[in-house]
Amino acid sequence: MDLHLHSAYELHHLFLSGKVSAEEIATHFLQRIEKLDPQLQSFLTVFPEKTLEKAKNLDQRRKKGEPLGKMAAVPVAIKDNMHIKGEITTCASKFLQNYRAPFSATAVRLMEEEDAFVIGKTNLDEFAMGSSNENSAFFSSKNPWDLSCSPGGSSGGSAAAVGGRLSLLATGSDTGGSIRQPASLCGVYGFKPTYGRVSRYGLVAFGSSLDQIGPIGTSCLDCAMMMETIGAFCKRDATSLNLPQESYLEDLPKDLKGKVIGVPWNFLELLGENELKRFKETIEKFKSLGATIEEVDLRLLKYSIAVYYILATAEASTNLARFDGIRFGQRSKEAKNLQEVYDLSRKEGFGREVKKRIMLGTYVLSSGFKHAYYQKAQKVRTLIIQAFEKAFESCDFIAIPTTVKSAFTLSSIADPLEMYLQDIFTISANLAGLPALSMPCGFDEENRPLGVQLLGPQLHDVQVLQNGYAFENAYPEFRKVSPLFSKEAL
Amino acid sequence: MKNLSTIDLERLEKLSRISCSSEEEEDILQSLQKVIEYMELLQEVDTEGDSPTSHVLGPLMQNILRKDVEEKSLSREEFFENVPDVVAGMVKVPPVLKGEE
């Protein structure tokens, strides 16, 4: 069977029409995980019993002609920083390795209500802090295109699982590129919605003014399908947008006629010669689909990394203060007094990158430095938002690469700053709260996938995904599955 | 430019309630130094008269108050499932005041 070569969207319709049973789908993907995940190491937990039980229930309901959810029989993997009631949420941290979630994240609950198969939980950089998956306290996931390469991060497990077609959809969370960068490196589609579009309730917080949950899928349609379900107002998230759910899958455009795409050429100097050439080829493809290309000035984005690592670590240092060893998670057995419960539990429970970021955030917020760093960064953030507003006066979307290069070899980046600079093209969408899609747009000399981003103004989530689909539909060769994982038989 | 001595690691450990192991200290200090130096880049941006952004939704976001009615929340049993040390339905912690044992 070649069920994994379909998109989630197609598979859902095959199930609805009775061509494939839910049990066949569930079994197929559970077997793929069992056989192939030892290489990819994308999952931290798998739920075979629950998935099969749900599948049988769905098959019965379909036979009886009962109503079925919008995501019925679609396998979805959940990044392990989102809660599923009764299951462990580790955040890939030793601190939470035994933490059992007492409630479900809103995004998870909504997908379960629409009959998706929540098939397992995926690996990540500890507390979503990292761009390579190497900061997981357990193991690093691998890239389905080259097992010696990183799948990217922090949602590396989710992107690897979808890239290897062990699941057709997965959730990611994106604070500075954590959905889009791994999606790009693994040759799949990743979408970060407008800030506030998807509820953060039940997502373990990293940088609260930046965090957003979104889909990683095998097509823009897969991402759209998940967005129709999870892009909903939630009273348990104070920054949830109180707007009606939107339809993504109607009136899909076939081309980009009449659309103006802005390109910030003066911000692309970081690209190597080859990468720039390939990006220009992608822009030509947008043109051939009818889009007009307009130059926009986003030179200010060169400050986005500095702004981000001040604001995100400041927010993380306060968010992670809750991990005190008292009420849940790691508590040091060595602690003899209350102070030591805090100091030693955090020492034992957190990995090095998490410690660095908490201390960096503490530094930029500490007295004497707050004005020079934190407040300065907040002001530059204002200027970056204004630069985007101005750019969108003359275009509908902005196109930039997702990453500077394709997937890198695991443990090849040792310098922390070099690792942080991996996110140079993704961070600004978080700083401005914009919807941003990363989609495959070709391969480099080593046959590793490359990605391009389409950014839209706030609330233009539907337009970004739909116009992304026009590109995807015109260039189906970029949706190719890695030859290591495309085989029909296991 | 700041130099290494301007980052007081001991003070940061205290403020952030994290003890670093001795093998981590050097690496953490160097990383922090490097990143903070990089952040100096922002000083060249003129932000005179610009206001800070703390959230991005602007006019889309307003203060929301909920009605003061009781709702079901997490039960005691569910809460205690994750507490590392429980005695008689209470969270147990080591002595807080000096001199007690």
Side-chain angles (χ1 to χ4, degrees):
Chain A
M1 280 206 293
D2 59 353
L3 294 179
H4 57 281
L5 299 180
H6 291 284
S7 67
Y9 181 77
E10 287 164 351
L11 205 56
H12 169 67
H13 288 280
L14 285 174
F15 165 68
L16 290 185
S17 66
K19 292 198 177 86
V20 184
S21 74
E23 201 176 341
E24 283 173 298
I25 295 173
T27 310
H28 183 77
F29 285 96
L30 288 168
Q31 280 178 351
R32 283 184 68 79
I33 295 172
E34 201 186 320
K35 296 262 168 61
L36 300 172
D37 206 43
Q39 300 170 45
L40 214 46
Q41 296 189 281
S42 57
F43 282 88
L44 292 174
T45 332
V46 187
F47 309 126
E49 293 86 14
K50 270 209 267 190
T51 304
L52 285 170
E53 194 184 320
K54 173 112 191 183
K56 284 176 187 155
N57 168 279
L58 277 182
D59 283 331
Q60 278 171 5
R61 279 167 50 198
R62 202 190 63 79
K63 272 185 203 134
K64 286 185 202 154
E66 288 175 21
L68 296 160
K70 278 174 160 176
M71 293 182 75
V74 170
V76 180
I78 305 295
K79 184 177 181 180
D80 201 19
N81 61 352
M82 297 169 206
H83 294 328
I84 302 175
K85 190 176 173 168
E87 304 294 348
I88 303 281
T89 303
T90 66
C91 290
S93 178
K94 276 199 262 174
F95 203 104
L96 290 177
Q97 58 187 335
N98 299 312
Y99 177 79
R100 203 167 281 279
F103 60 92
S104 281
T106 300
V108 171
R109 179 178 58 78
L110 290 171
M111 288 192 286
E112 283 179 333
E113 284 171 7
E114 292 294 345
D115 294 326
F117 293 147
V118 173
I119 199 163
K121 302 196 81 179
T122 53
N123 198 12
L124 62 150
D125 287 291
E126 185 176 2
F127 288 104
M129 296 178 184
S131 311
S132 69
N133 219 263
E134 291 162 310
N135 296 334
S136 166
F138 307 122
F139 44 79
S140 304
S141 300
K142 313 289 185 287
N143 191 304
W145 288 84
D146 182 339
L147 295 169
S148 68
C149 284
S150 162
S154 66
S155 314
S158 287
V162 175
R165 300 300 193 268
L166 307 189
S167 179
L168 296 182
L169 261 174
T171 59
S173 62
D174 194 315
T175 308
S178 279
I179 288 175
R180 292 159 286 152
Q181 183 255 20
S184 174
L185 300 192
C186 293
V188 292
Y189 297 77
F191 180 63
K192 182 201 90 72
T194 299
Y195 180 81
R197 184 67 89 182
V198 179
S199 170
R200 292 180 292 113
Y201 181 68
L203 165 71
V204 178
F206 166 8
S208 303
S209 81
L210 305 152
D211 295 342
Q212 189 59 195
I213 294 176
I216 294 177
T218 72
S219 155
C220 289
L221 300 184
D222 291 3
C223 295
M225 189 182 193
M226 188 191 285
M227 282 307 298
E228 283 200 352
T229 297
I230 67 174
F233 171 66
C234 169
K235 65 175 185 176
R236 294 189 188 278
D237 172 358
T239 59
S240 173
L241 285 165
N242 195 351
L243 297 169
Q245 274 165 275
E246 293 189 280
S247 301
Y248 288 74
L249 294 162
E250 286 163 17
D251 307 321
L252 292 165
K254 289 252 177 317
D255 54 44
L256 299 171
K257 278 197 189 94
K259 297 289 181 297
V260 182
I261 296 182
V263 179
W265 294 112
N266 52 23
F267 172 58
L268 300 176
E269 287 156 8
L270 285 154
L271 285 177
E273 203 181 312
N274 272 339
E275 284 77 13
L276 185 63
K277 193 175 131 247
R278 283 172 195 282
F279 179 68
K280 283 181 178 164
E281 286 165 12
T282 304
I283 296 299
E284 286 306 313
K285 293 189 175 84
F286 288 145
K287 267 195 209 165
S288 71
L289 285 170
T292 313
I293 306 299
E294 192 77 44
E295 176 157 14
V296 291
D297 181 7
L298 289 172
R299 265 172 295 189
L300 266 175
L301 298 194
K302 84 168 198 195
Y303 301 107
S304 54
I305 298 266
V307 170
Y308 174 82
Y309 277 94
I310 292 170
L311 299 181
T313 59
E315 293 183 21
S317 73
T318 53
N319 271 327
L320 272 67
R322 75 191 60 177
F323 300 103
D324 56 7
I326 303 291
R327 295 151 299 152
F328 51 77
Q330 174 79 16
R331 186 188 292 185
S332 174
K333 296 206 165 43
E334 311 297 318
K336 288 178 207 70
N337 56 50
L338 192 63
Q339 184 67 40
E340 283 183 6
V341 171
Y342 304 143
D343 291 352
L344 299 177
S345 301
R346 288 159 73 81
K347 175 187 182 180
E348 295 165 11
F350 291 147
R352 197 174 291 189
E353 182 62 24
V354 173
K355 287 178 187 168
K356 278 182 194 173
R357 296 209 194 184
I358 291 173
M359 293 173 104
L360 192 57
T362 305
Y363 179 85
V364 299
L365 288 174
S366 62
S367 70
F369 298 109
K370 196 175 167 187
H371 187 77
Y373 295 108
Y374 185 67
Q375 284 171 354
K376 182 77 182 178
Q378 284 187 306
K379 287 182 179 176
V380 181
R381 186 179 190 180
T382 304
L383 296 178
I384 289 174
I385 292 170
Q386 288 167 354
F388 272 117
E389 281 169 357
K390 182 137 193 304
F392 281 124
E393 282 172 12
S394 62
C395 64
D396 300 298
F397 306 105
I398 289 168
I400 43 174
T402 311
T403 58
V404 180
K405 280 187 178 353
S406 66
F408 49 90
T409 312
L410 281 160
S411 32
S412 64
I413 303 181
D415 180 69
L417 202 54
E418 192 188 338
M419 189 61 94
Y420 292 176
L421 290 170
Q422 294 297 315
D423 298 331
I424 181 78
F425 292 131
T426 49
I427 273 175
S428 52
N430 302 78
L431 293 176
L434 308 175
L437 166 72
S438 172
M439 48 187 178
C441 66
F443 300 88
D444 70 1
E445 304 76 29
E446 289 164 289
N447 199 33
R448 292 176 192 161
L450 297 164
V452 64
Q453 285 185 97
L454 221 45
L455 278 63
Q458 279 187 1
L459 306 185
H460 287 230
D461 305 67
V462 172
Q463 291 86 338
V464 168
L465 271 174
Q466 289 196 337
N467 287 282
Y469 177 69
F471 177 76
E472 171 190 330
N473 193 39
Y475 295 96
E477 62 269 33
F478 302 146
R479 276 193 67 223
K480 205 168 86 180
V481 183
S482 163
L484 299 174
F485 292 89
S486 61
K487 286 195 297 284
E488 290 184 17
L490 289 169
Chain B
M1 285 292 153
K2 309 263 189 294
N3 55 49
L4 270 172
S5 62
T6 58
I7 299 179
D8 182 345
L9 195 66
E10 214 172 297
R11 177 165 172 264
L12 280 184
E13 288 185 70
K14 218 165 144 188
L15 286 173
S16 57
R17 299 268 192 269
I18 294 175
S19 316
C20 300
S21 65
S22 45
E23 51 149 356
E24 284 174 334
E25 272 180 6
E26 190 55 34
D27 173 48
I28 289 182
L29 193 61
Q30 276 187 15
S31 299
L32 293 186
Q33 183 59 35
K34 215 166 187 171
V35 176
I36 288 164
E37 260 178 42
Y38 177 76
M39 287 168 175
E40 295 291 319
L41 186 67
L42 292 188
Q43 303 311 323
E44 69 186 52
V45 188
D46 180 9
T47 52
E48 189 68 39
D50 293 309
S51 48
T53 294
S54 54
H55 77 87
V56 292
L57 293 176
L60 289 168
M61 206 78 249
Q62 296 154 11
N63 243 344
I64 307 162
L65 300 173
R66 69 167 174 83
K67 291 217 171 69
D68 188 18
V69 277
E70 61 189 84
E71 269 182 62
K72 235 182 126 181
S73 64
L74 207 59
S75 69
R76 275 178 77 83
E77 291 73 28
E78 285 171 306
F79 170 77
F80 275 112
E81 248 182 59
N82 279 302
V83 178
D85 202 353
V86 181
V87 170
M90 286 178 282
V91 178
K92 190 184 170 196
V93 293
V96 176
L97 298 172
K98 275 179 192 156
E100 286 179 33
E101 203 42 69

